[in-house]
């Protein structure tokens, strides 16, 4: 009976809602574009990577900024309003360059007409580069800073307990088994990588560094030595082993501390989307980060249960976005009540200009859109939400923590225990939200009946997958 009502609800609401959905804001998390190999530091962004991230910015411009059905409500289309944007990244040459590159695509030069101002004496002054607009990129603090939130924003860096928890992997039977079963494979690949690796270091322990060197060389070096060894099977083997190695270090279902980078990211996503809903600013948040944060977040958000793909290292310039959507009519400057707002998650495995941006369900739920309260509850379960929480989880010897303000948490194998030590008052929050969801379900049930009675005349054809976005292939795939 209940199931029937929900089907009726969906059938009755779809046409109506499809026509009137509004995106209120979004949070984009992007990996950097193609870069030089980590084997020869310092790494730098390549022209290919610059193009990938710039094109991705252009894709999101089409989706969120320019006039259209997926435009963020009230966002400025040509001249950037800095109050509407929040851009962050760690202090890192590649990531900071990519933030700027992305923004060049998001808000390109506006030309002479819009990009000039008239001075008091009547002279018109044009901005450089055909009206290029400068958007400041905020650095996630890395220095020790006792005055406020700082270190914890960097996720895993400096988190003593998380590093230890992650390194547990090197003592696992999985690691030991793979190390010995792949030993001869890695030795056989040595001639390709012997500029950097030796017989002693060509081992599974360096799975990512080896894969990174091979992958980057295949993209940039037309004369890789012994390239006859790089058969499709061997390349796939190197990639698969690197994926397994990195996912094991980024996420462990038995110990959520391993995924601290994803936890910190989750808290930032909630923080900024909450600000968008509460104050209507920023409307669009952008953060540039590393693949490890993607993998940690994927694990925490149960995405591997949707597809094994989510245990693989994401391609260069990949992005995921969290959209605040509503079916309510939006007018003026106020946003609708939060019970009418949902969150949709989408991911593009590579520059969004080259690869489809696809929606996926989070937290093992069946729906591609989660009510805001459900989303917030689930995100809070996996979040670390401030310096104090971070120090509690990471241990008081971690960077930026004082020994008085924190207590040491023993890393345990039970996720429940770790969760409760990291999330203040979560159990009560869960209770409250379950109550709220029951109420919501009742309200929606009634609404379905009303709509069944009055809404059936609004019938409109609706495509099967409304939020799949594809762009023509741009030929820039890494
Ligand atoms: C909007 O409509 C869609 C499609 O029917 C539905 O899945 C979604 O839950 C609705 N969102 C809200 C916030 O009511
Ligand atoms: C956006 O497009 C709609 C319909 O195409 C139009 O009515 C509206 O005036 C446009 N808004 C702007 C700011 O161009
Ligand atoms: C107007 O002011 C600008 C900036 O002070 C100056 O460069 C320019 O020469 C002035 N133009 C005239 C016509 O005085
Ligand atoms: C996951 O964590 C548990 C508990 O710390 C540990 O025993 C196990 O070896 C870890 N597994 C992997 C694959 O790292
Ligand atoms: C690496 O291997 C290739 C192919 O076997 C060989 O020609 C080359 O001398 C080796 N280089 C080093 C530094 O060992
Ligand atoms: C390409 O690979 C060869 C052989 O490993 C190496 O000597 C050369 O330095 C590489 N070139 C670049 C641009 O990395
Ligand atoms: C945003 O967070 C604050 C503080 O946690 C909370 O009181 C408020 O209800 C949240 N706003 C929304 C829209 O969820
Ligand atoms: C997983 O990746 C494969 C190969 O790229 C693709 O065909 C498949 O659709 C992906 N699955 C999901 C759920 O995205
Ligand atoms: C992204 O692509 C890489 C390389 O093909 C793959 O290993 C990974 O599983 C993909 N991730 C997702 C979520 O599709
Ligand atoms: C953590 O701080 C307490 C004091 O609050 C101190 O006694 C303890 O030694 C510290 N732990 C570590 C591992 O530094």
């Amino acid at each position: 009976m209940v199931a029937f009502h929900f089907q009726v609800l969906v059938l009755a609401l779809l046409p109506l809602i499809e026509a009137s959905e509004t995106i209120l804001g979004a949070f984009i998390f992007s990996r950097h574009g193609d870069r030089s190999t980590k084997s020869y530091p310092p790494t730098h962004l390549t022209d290919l990577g610059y193009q990938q991230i710039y094109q991705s910015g252009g894709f999101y411009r089409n989706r969120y900024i320019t006039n259209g059905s997926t435009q963020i409500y009230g966002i400025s289309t040509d001249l950037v309003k800095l109050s509407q944007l929040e851009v962050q990244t760690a202090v890192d040459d590649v990531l900071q360059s990519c933030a700027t590159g992305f923004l060049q695509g998001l808000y390109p030069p506006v030309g002479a007409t819009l990009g000039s101002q008239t001075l008091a004496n009547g002279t018109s002054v044009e901005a450089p580069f055909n009206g290029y607009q400068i958007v400041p990129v905020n650095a996630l603090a890395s220095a020790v800073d006792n005055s406020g939130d700082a270190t914890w924003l960097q996720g895993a860096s400096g988190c003593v307990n998380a590093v230890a928890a992650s390194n547990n992997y090197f003592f696992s039977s999985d690691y030991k088994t793979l190390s010995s079963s792949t030993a001869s494979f890695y030795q056989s690949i040595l001639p390709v990588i012997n500029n950097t690796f030796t017989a002693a270091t060509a081992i599974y322990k360096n799975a990512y560094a080896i894969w990174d060197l091979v992958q980057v060389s295949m993209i940039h070096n037309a004369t890789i030595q012994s390239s006859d060894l790089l058969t499709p099977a061997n390349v796939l083997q190197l990639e698969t082993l690197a994926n397994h190695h990195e996912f094991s270090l980024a996420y462990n279902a038995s110990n959520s501390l391993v995924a601290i980078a994803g936890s910190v990211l989750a808290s930032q996503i909630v923080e900024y989307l909450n600000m968008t809903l509460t104050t209507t600013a920023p409307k669009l948040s952008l953060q540039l980060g590393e693949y490890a944060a993607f993998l940690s977040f994927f694990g925490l958000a149960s995405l591997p249960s949707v597809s094994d793909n989510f245990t693989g290292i994401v391609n260069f310039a990949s992005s995921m976005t969290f959209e605040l959507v509503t079916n309510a009519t939006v007018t003026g400057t106020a946003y609708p009540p939060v019970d009418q707002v949902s969150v949709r998650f989408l991911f593009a495995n590579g520059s969004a200009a080259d690869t489809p941006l696809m929606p996926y369900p989070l937290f093992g739920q069946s729906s591609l859109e989660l009510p805001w309260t459900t989303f917030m509850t689930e995100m809070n379960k996996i979040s670390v939400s401030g310096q104090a929480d971070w120090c509690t989880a990471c241990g008081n010897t971690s960077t930026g923590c004082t020994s008085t303000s924190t207590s040491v948490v023993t890393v345990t194998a039970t996720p429940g225990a770790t969760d409760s030590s990291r999330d203040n008052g979560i159990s009560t929050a869960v209770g409250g939200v379950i109550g709220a969801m029951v109420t919501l379900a009742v309200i929606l049930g009634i609404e379905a009946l009303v709509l069944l009675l009055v809404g059936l005349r609004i019938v409109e054809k609706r495509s099967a997958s409304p939020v799949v976005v594809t762009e023509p292939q741009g030929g820039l795939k890494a």
Side-chain angles (χ1 to χ4, degrees):
M1 230 28 201
V2 172
F4 171 73
H5 278 159
F6 270 91
Q7 279 182 356
V8 168
L9 164 78
V10 170
L11 289 176
L13 281 180
L14 283 186
L16 182 68
I17 275 145
E18 206 22 40
S20 65
E21 182 187 283
T22 305
I23 298 184
L24 299 171
F27 185 106
I28 302 170
F29 185 76
S30 173
R31 192 186 176 195
H32 54 73
D34 181 83
R35 51 146 172 73
S36 59
T37 176
K38 296 223 167 198
S39 286
Y40 299 107
T43 54
H44 58 86
L45 184 65
T46 62
D47 288 343
L48 174 63
Y50 183 12
Q51 278 289 354
Q52 288 168 341
I53 208 78
Y54 168 76
Q55 305 281 353
S56 180
F59 171 88
Y60 283 105
R61 169 172 182 77
N62 279 339
R63 185 169 178 83
Y64 293 141
I65 311 289
T66 57
N67 194 6
S69 63
T70 55
Q71 181 189 33
I72 291 177
Y73 180 75
I75 202 154
S76 180
T77 54
D78 294 310
L79 288 173
V80 65
K81 279 193 189 150
L82 295 184
S83 63
Q84 297 184 338
L85 291 184
E86 173 66 35
V87 186
Q88 295 179 318
T89 190
V91 177
D92 173 274
D93 288 350
V94 173
L95 290 173
Q96 285 171 304
S97 302
C98 283
T100 302
F102 190 103
L103 289 164
Q104 288 173 339
L106 196 68
Y107 276 104
V110 287
T113 312
L114 282 175
S116 53
Q117 293 171 339
T118 306
L119 303 180
N121 67 8
T123 303
S124 177
V125 179
E126 195 186 320
F129 305 121
N130 195 33
Y132 176 75
Q133 310 186 72
I134 299 172
V135 180
V137 174
N138 297 316
L140 292 174
S142 61
V144 178
D145 175 6
N146 292 325
S147 65
D149 289 350
T151 314
W152 72 278
L153 287 173
Q154 288 261 27
S157 82
C159 182
V160 173
N161 288 351
V163 171
S166 216
N167 287 347
N168 269 343
Y169 176 57
F170 298 118
F171 300 98
S172 68
S173 55
D174 174 282
Y175 174 78
K176 286 172 185 159
T177 308
L178 271 175
S179 289
S180 55
S181 68
T182 61
S184 58
F185 170 69
Y186 279 109
Q187 292 306 308
S188 76
I189 296 296
L190 188 55
V192 187
I193 55 175
N194 64 4
N195 277 342
T196 315
F197 294 90
T198 63
T201 56
I203 50 176
Y204 176 60
K205 187 175 190 197
N206 293 320
Y208 180 70
I210 292 169
W211 165 241
D212 178 66
L213 177 61
V214 169
Q215 186 191 29
V216 170
S217 298
M218 288 192 310
I219 295 170
H220 292 282
N221 196 337
T223 57
I224 315 175
Q225 63 200 5
S226 306
S227 57
D228 52 318
L229 277 173
L230 295 180
T231 61
N234 281 350
V235 171
L236 180 65
Q237 176 79 331
L238 288 171
E239 179 180 19
T240 306
L241 288 167
N243 282 345
H244 183 76
H245 189 272
E246 294 306 286
F247 190 74
S248 302
L249 291 177
Y251 178 73
N252 181 333
S254 314
N255 187 343
S256 54
L257 193 48
V258 171
I260 186 97
S263 294
V264 169
L265 178 60
S267 79
Q268 290 168 328
I269 293 165
V270 168
E271 179 187 346
Y272 284 104
L273 291 180
N274 174 303
M275 274 165 67
T276 301
L277 277 181
T278 311
T279 67
T280 77
K283 291 181 186 296
L284 181 59
S285 304
L286 168 68
Q287 197 179 111
L288 274 289
E290 294 283 3
Y291 65 84
F294 279 91
L295 294 184
S296 293
F297 180 81
F298 289 167
L300 291 170
S302 303
L303 284 163
S305 69
V306 175
S307 164
D308 252 5
N309 292 2
F310 285 100
T311 61
I313 297 166
V314 302
N315 289 322
F316 291 129
S318 290
S319 56
M320 55 183 176
T321 182
F322 300 79
E323 301 179 343
L324 289 169
V325 298
T326 184
N327 298 325
T329 308
V330 191
T331 50
T333 53
Y335 283 169
V338 290
D339 63 358
Q340 292 179 33
V341 175
S342 294
V343 178
R344 183 194 293 139
F345 168 81
L346 304 103
F347 171 71
N349 198 4
S351 175
D354 304 336
T355 43
L357 182 67
M358 301 278 291
Y360 296 95
L362 293 175
F363 304 113
Q365 309 251 352
S366 55
S367 173
L368 295 176
E369 285 158 27
L370 291 185
W372 169 253
T373 45
T374 310
F375 174 77
M376 212 168 54
T377 307
E378 294 294 333
M379 291 290 271
N380 284 341
K381 280 188 208 165
I382 63 167
S383 290
V384 160
S385 59
Q387 180 111 357
D389 269 11
W390 192 87
C391 288
T392 306
C394 292
N396 52 359
T397 55
S398 295
T399 325
C401 302
T402 58
S403 55
T404 46
S405 67
T406 58
S407 59
V408 177
V409 173
T410 314
V411 178
T412 64
T414 45
T418 320
D419 279 343
S420 63
S421 64
R422 288 166 52 190
D423 303 308
N424 301 328
I426 262 315
S427 39
T428 48
V430 173
V433 166
I434 289 170
M437 283 169 64
V438 170
T439 314
L440 193 64
V442 170
I443 292 170
L444 285 175
I446 295 166
E447 205 174 290
L449 287 178
V450 172
L451 274 150
L452 185 61
L453 295 176
V454 302
L456 284 181
R457 60 203 157 81
I458 313 166
V459 178
E460 198 177 288
K461 198 164 163 41
R462 178 178 185 273
S463 75
S465 46
V467 285
V468 177
V469 183
T470 48
E471 282 279 286
Q473 296 290 308
L476 284 170
K477 201 166 184 303

